[in-house]
């Protein structure tokens, strides 16, 4: 599946629910099955400082593709990390760098799900793209 | 006292809906809402007599200057300061503390001296002192708190050494709600010859503040935390201090005579009000203080204590909820955490239910560290809140628990 197809699937999944509480429940569920970062990597090196909750994000570069694992101490944030991983993990650096993440607006993540400042959404995206650029530049 | 529906109708924003639900505003510790009289007062300045104060010879400048000075008189009366010269308008609590930290530091603090603050302080009453200490080679000492969130007075007394040049302490904790026995602390500091700054950011709207009775040397607060506009604040200082302290900002209005060789400064209070001040804000603050007095400060305190008791009871009945800060004397603030649920998650769901609370460290990281937590959820009430709103909060919290467990 392309990045766009995955995004479209997510948009469809969220569109089933009218009520924001149901959308939250979906996000909470997504947080439960994210590719979890190994406990030993939950260090300051992998910490993304969101304003209110901690997010750890770790990239691995295998066969020209970037794979992400993550965790957070807040479940909603974990769900948001899970969504980003679903879309961006297992992609080439170029795909990640150029990805237009339109699903964020379409499911109302930016406007409705949370103030971006407090959940670190933008910091997470920026960090994922930075990792991709680094892998592209160094080739490892 | 006015009945609650009348009070609520004085605050237009309280009729707002968020996500289709009535707004339940429980974030009064961060900022309070504005009554119509304040909104109208500011509106009147801007539509009726907006002109730079203390400068013009024309009618509306005179009017603006006059209203600005009337507001100063209202501030003076509200905290029972002795003289209008002792009341300086600033941008807020932070602006006031920075002013004192700079001016007092320049004049009185030297290498090896100490500044004493409590563990309860918010960042505004920590960072300016840290910056000053670094500049002057002084040290910042911290008065510890106990498990209830109260300042430990015995430890405080031990810390009042000869090196201490100033004590800066909050009247009430923004993060836990603790009311600090400032009067007693001032008495002890004074008997050691040490002046005290009281941070009234949270305390100003709690009951009656009387600086003459308290005998503090400086008292600071923000307009927006007592139903006034943002960007306006107050620095009260005893005349003897303000006379001795150098100005912290230079500019227009604070000068008497300027040549390129030498400038002589204007008299108090203007010495500390450089540039065009926020006069619409000051006039709005005056209107806010009038409003508070019209409701009655004792009435407000009584109502808020009632709400605090009700909220403490209601929230304590929820399994897995822990309240942080259980001093016998508190402002109407309840800080809590739900077992196993991050404060951010709690706050996000409450928001969707129309409930505005603060989550995080409340700009008081050292307090959170003291309790070994990364933050709390804080419901801060004031007299326009109702028991029904506390019930909505209670039900909301129960919903959060059911969603995350």
């Amino acid at each position: 599946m392309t990045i766009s197809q995955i995004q479209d699937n997510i948009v469809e999944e969220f569109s089933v629910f009218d009520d924001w509480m149901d959308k939250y429940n979906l996000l909470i569920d997504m947080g439960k099955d994210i590719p979890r970062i190994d406990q030993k990597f939950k260090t300051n090196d992998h910490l993304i400082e969101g304003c209110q909750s901690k997010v750890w994000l770790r990239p691995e570069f295998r066969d020209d593709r970037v794979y992400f694992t993550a965790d957070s101490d807040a479940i909603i944030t974990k769900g948001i990390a899970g969504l980003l991983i679903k879309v961006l993990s297992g992609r080439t650096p170029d795909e990640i760098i150029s990805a237009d993440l339109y699903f964020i607006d379409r499911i109302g993540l930016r406007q409705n799900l949370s103030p971006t400042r407090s959940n670190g959404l933008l910091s997470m995206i920026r960090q994922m793209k930075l990792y991709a650029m680094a892998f592209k530049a160094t080739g490892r | 006292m006015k009945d609650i529906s009348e009070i609520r109708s004085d605050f237009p924003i309280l009729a707002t809906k968020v996500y289709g639900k009535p707004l339940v505003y429980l974030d009064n510790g961060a900022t309070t809402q504005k009554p119509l009289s304040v909104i109208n007062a500011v509106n009147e300045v801007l539509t009726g007599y907006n002109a730079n104060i203390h400068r013009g010879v024309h009618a509306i400048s005179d009017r603006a200057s006059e209203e600005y000075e009337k507001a100063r008189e209202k501030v003076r009366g509200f905290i029972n300061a002795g003289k209008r010269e002792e009341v300086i308008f600033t941008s807020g609590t932070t602006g006031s503390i920075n002013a004192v930290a700079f001016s007092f530091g320049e004049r009185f603090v030297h290498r090896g001296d100490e500044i004493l603050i409590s563990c309860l302080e918010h960042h505004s009453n920590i960072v300016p002192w840290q910056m000053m200490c670094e500049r002057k080679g002084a040290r910042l000492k911290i008065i510890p708190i106990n498990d209830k969130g109260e300042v430990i007075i015995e430890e405080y007394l031990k810390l009042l050494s000869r090196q201490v040049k100033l004590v800066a302490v909050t009247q009430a904790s923004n993060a836990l709600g603790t009311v600090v026995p400032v009067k007693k602390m001032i008495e002890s500091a004074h008997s050691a010859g040490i002046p005290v700054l009281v941070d009234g950011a949270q305390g100003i709207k709690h009951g009656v503040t009387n600086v003459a009775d308290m005998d503090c040397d400086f008292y600071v607060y923000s307009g927006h935390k007592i139903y006034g506009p943002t960007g306006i604040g107050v620095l009260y200082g005893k005349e003897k201090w303000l006379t001795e302290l150098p100005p912290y900002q230079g500019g227009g209005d604070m000068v008497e005579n300027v040549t390129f060789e030498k400038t002589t400064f204007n008299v108090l209070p203007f010495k500390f009000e450089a540039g065009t001040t926020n006069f619409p804000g000051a006039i709005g603050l005056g209107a806010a203080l009038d409003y508070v007095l019209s409701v009655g400060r004792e009435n407000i305190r009584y109502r808020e204590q009632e709400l605090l008791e009700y909220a403490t009871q209601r929230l304590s009945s929820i399994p897995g909820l822990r309240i942080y800060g259980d001093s016998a004397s508190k402002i109407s603030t309840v800080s809590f955490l739900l077992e196993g649920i991050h404060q951010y998650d709690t706050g996000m769901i409450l928001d969707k239910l129309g409930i505005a609370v603060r989550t995080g460290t409340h700009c008081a990281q050292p307090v959170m560290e003291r309790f070994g937590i990364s933050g709390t959820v804080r419901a801060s009430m004031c007299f326009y809140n109702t028991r029904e709103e506390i019930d909505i909060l209670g039900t909301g919290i129960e919903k959060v628990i059911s969603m995350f467990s």
Side-chain angles (χ1 to χ4, degrees):
Chain A
M1 264 195 287
T2 65
I3 285 189
S4 296
Q5 282 167 330
I6 294 177
Q7 294 196 82
D8 293 342
N9 285 349
I10 291 173
V11 172
E12 202 185 317
E13 224 177 323
F14 272 85
S15 70
V16 174
F17 302 110
D18 289 331
D19 184 45
W20 273 101
M21 281 303 166
D22 295 328
K23 295 191 194 207
Y24 266 113
N25 275 323
L26 180 60
L27 204 56
I28 291 166
D29 281 343
M30 286 181 169
K32 286 176 186 157
D33 7 279
I34 70 167
R36 199 71 59 88
I37 187 171
D38 194 314
Q39 202 63 26
K40 69 176 181 239
F41 295 119
K42 280 168 84 168
T43 58
N44 283 343
D45 285 348
H46 297 106
L47 191 63
I48 298 174
E49 285 284 1
C51 186
Q52 301 222 352
S53 53
K54 286 182 174 165
V55 187
W56 296 269
L57 176 75
R58 179 169 180 262
E60 281 170 275
F61 196 44
R62 294 193 303 265
D63 307 325
D64 294 330
R65 284 168 190 274
V66 188
Y67 296 86
F68 292 103
T69 50
D71 202 357
S72 170
D73 53 356
I75 297 178
I76 292 172
T77 310
K78 211 186 289 188
I80 293 171
L83 281 176
L84 291 174
I85 288 177
K86 223 177 229 188
V87 176
L88 295 179
S89 195
R91 302 283 159 184
T92 65
D94 276 329
E95 281 178 301
I96 295 169
I97 294 163
S98 62
D100 167 23
L101 300 173
Y102 58 82
F103 81 99
I104 292 169
D105 281 326
R106 292 213 190 143
I107 66 173
L109 195 57
R110 206 189 301 273
Q111 309 87 331
N112 285 300
L113 266 175
S114 40
T116 46
R117 176 170 164 259
S118 52
N119 64 30
L121 170 69
L122 292 182
S123 320
M124 278 189 254
I125 296 171
R126 192 170 53 230
Q127 195 58 49
M128 288 170 130
K129 292 204 171 201
L130 279 175
Y131 278 132
M133 282 177 209
F135 288 131
K136 186 185 177 184
T138 60
R140 62 186 169 85
Chain B
M1 187 178 174
K2 281 181 169 182
D3 73 51
I4 185 67
S5 60
E6 206 182 330
I7 287 173
R8 287 183 69 85
S9 66
D10 288 337
F11 293 81
I13 204 172
L14 297 180
T16 301
K17 290 200 166 181
V18 287
Y19 314 112
K21 298 184 173 68
L23 169 68
V24 175
Y25 188 76
L26 299 173
D27 196 14
N28 296 287
T31 198
T32 53
Q33 300 306 343
K34 322 302 171 198
L36 257 179
S37 60
V38 169
I39 297 165
N40 289 341
V42 175
N43 190 29
E44 211 185 309
V45 181
L46 300 180
T47 54
Y49 56 94
N50 174 54
N52 210 330
I53 54 168
H54 300 147
R55 285 164 174 81
V57 291
H58 53 83
I60 59 171
S61 170
D62 269 353
R63 165 99 197 271
S65 306
E66 199 178 305
E67 296 295 333
Y68 181 71
E69 292 306 322
K70 266 193 217 161
R72 193 191 307 278
E73 177 54 29
K74 286 175 188 175
V75 169
R76 189 205 60 74
F78 195 83
I79 55 173
N80 195 32
K83 299 176 165 184
R84 55 180 282 283
E85 285 80 1
E86 297 178 321
V87 173
I88 315 288
F89 282 119
T90 65
S91 59
T93 299
T94 302
S96 298
I97 296 176
N98 274 282
V100 177
F102 181 83
S103 297
F104 191 91
E106 284 307 292
R107 181 78 174 75
F108 294 109
V109 180
H110 303 97
R111 181 161 295 282
D113 286 345
E114 292 173 359
I115 301 293
L116 199 51
I117 64 172
S118 88
C119 179
L120 286 176
E121 306 311 316
H122 62 152
H123 298 160
S124 297
N125 203 24
I126 302 173
V127 184
W129 305 115
Q130 263 172 348
M131 289 164 64
M132 184 259 268
C133 284
E134 199 160 307
R135 211 169 56 239
K136 308 303 284 189
R139 270 178 313 197
L140 192 63
K141 290 283 190 93
I142 314 297
I143 314 159
I145 55 174
N146 63 22
D147 290 340
K148 288 181 163 182
E150 298 164 327
V151 168
I152 305 172
I153 297 295
E154 304 83 73
E155 297 295 325
Y156 166 62
L157 296 177
K158 281 188 225 159
L159 285 164
L160 286 174
S161 70
R162 294 170 65 100
Q163 284 76 45
V164 177
K165 284 290 174 296
L166 184 102
V167 175
V169 69
T170 189
Q171 196 176 6
S173 157
N174 72 325
L176 306 175
T178 320
V179 173
V180 177
V182 282
K183 192 177 169 184
K184 207 162 95 189
M185 292 175 75
I186 292 166
E187 209 179 292
S188 310
H190 282 178
S191 62
I194 303 164
V196 179
L197 175 143
V198 174
D199 175 348
Q202 298 295 324
I204 185 67
K205 70 176 163 65
H206 176 78
V208 178
T209 291
N210 183 332
V211 293
D213 177 59
M214 202 195 291
D215 201 26
C216 55
D217 297 275
F218 301 99
Y219 184 84
V220 302
Y221 69 89
S222 298
H224 73 96
K225 286 194 161 83
I226 183 157
Y227 319 106
T230 40
I232 187 74
V234 169
L235 161 60
Y236 157 82
K238 281 183 181 168
E239 191 179 23
K240 65 165 182 179
W241 291 114
L242 295 181
T243 305
E244 284 212 44
L245 297 187
Y248 69 107
Q249 280 181 337
D253 214 25
M254 55 81 74
V255 289
E256 186 185 60
N257 190 35
V258 179
T259 66
F260 284 119
E261 288 70 42
K262 184 167 173 64
T263 292
T264 52
F265 299 124
N266 201 342
V267 294
L268 288 174
F270 310 115
K271 177 173 124 182
F272 290 102
E273 293 181 356
T276 299
T277 56
N278 178 6
F279 59 93
I283 293 164
L285 172 57
L289 300 181
D290 283 343
Y291 180 82
V292 168
L293 292 176
S294 78
V295 179
R297 285 190 274 186
E298 276 308 323
N299 290 336
I300 289 175
R301 199 178 65 89
Y302 181 79
R303 245 198 91 73
E304 291 182 354
Q305 285 301 307
E306 227 180 29
L307 285 170
L308 173 67
E309 264 168 51
Y310 185 70
T312 306
Q313 247 173 34
R314 175 69 182 87
L315 268 51
S316 301
S317 75
I318 299 171
L321 185 147
R322 179 177 165 191
I323 292 176
Y324 288 84
D326 45 6
S327 170
S329 181
K330 279 174 71 173
I331 53 171
S332 206
T333 290
V334 183
S335 222
F336 65 91
L337 277 178
L338 303 175
E339 200 183 340
I341 303 174
H342 197 277
Q343 63 271 11
Y344 168 77
D345 287 328
T346 308
M348 288 307 303
I349 300 299
L350 291 179
D351 169 57
K352 278 291 167 295
L353 297 168
I355 306 165
V357 291
R358 174 105 186 246
T359 63
T361 63
H362 319 296
C363 292
Q365 281 180 26
V367 179
M368 298 299 126
E369 226 166 86
R370 163 68 178 72
F371 287 96
I373 51 181
S374 66
T376 66
V377 184
R378 181 188 71 182
S380 48
M381 285 109 14
C382 78
F383 67 99
Y384 50 59
N385 291 122
T386 63
R387 283 182 174 227
E388 291 70 43
E389 289 181 307
I390 311 270
D391 288 335
I392 295 172
L393 172 67
T395 314
I397 292 169
E398 282 152 1
K399 168 115 189 161
V400 170
I401 294 172
S402 73
M403 281 177 81
F404 287 97
S405 50

